[in-house]
Amino acid sequence: MVWVLGGGSELVRLLAAVFVCLPMLLVTMVLTYIAAPRGPLWQMAASLGAMFARMVFALSATIFLLFLAPEEFRSLSFVAWLVVTYMLTLAVEVAWMLYLFRDARGQLALSTVDER
């Protein structure tokens, strides 16, 4: 569909946006999987660390692409693909964390205080 709408250059922009966002999604999923059984503080550290790493990596990779091929990636369509891909991977990341950070009762285990 992207090929039909924009041709080869649009497909290159889409794939570049995916390759900017996808590696950090995988890293985040591994980090949160490791942190999930260790308690709320580890979960928070993994979430914040993954968020920071995602922003730094996405920004750095985008700047690298802009220097590598400025005529190809200095377009509004690349920015649009980057935003859409970033938001989709962020949504997957949040859903993954909400799934992992549940206790035995099925409630979110984000508090260190026992509410009994």
Side-chain angles (χ1 to χ4, degrees):
M1 175 137 167
V2 174
W3 182 270
V4 173
L5 292 176
S9 62
E10 201 64 34
L11 185 62
V12 167
R13 290 180 188 124
L14 170 63
L15 290 176
V18 168
F19 285 123
V20 164
C21 296
L22 193 62
M24 289 315 299
L25 173 67
L26 299 175
V27 168
T28 299
M29 292 177 86
V30 170
L31 281 177
T32 54
Y33 182 78
I34 292 170
R38 296 182 184 213
L41 293 177
W42 280 87
Q43 293 169 0
M44 184 180 68
S47 301
L48 292 174
M51 179 180 62
F52 177 74
R54 171 187 290 279
M55 285 189 281
V56 168
F57 182 79
L59 185 61
S60 301
T62 303
I63 290 171
F64 176 74
L65 286 173
L66 286 173
F67 281 117
L68 185 67
E71 65 280 347
E72 183 69 32
F73 296 110
R74 210 171 267 182
S75 68
L76 189 58
S77 65
F78 174 64
V79 173
W81 284 121
L82 191 62
V83 168
V84 167
T85 309
Y86 188 91
M87 297 307 268
L88 286 174
T89 56
L90 187 62
V92 170
E93 177 184 327
V94 169
W96 174 257
M97 285 186 208
L98 289 175
Y99 172 74
L100 282 182
F101 298 163
R102 296 196 178 272
D103 61 6
R105 296 175 294 183
Q107 298 174 344
L108 283 177
L110 298 177
S111 174
T112 57
V113 179
D114 192 12
E115 298 175 358
R116 288 184 220 174

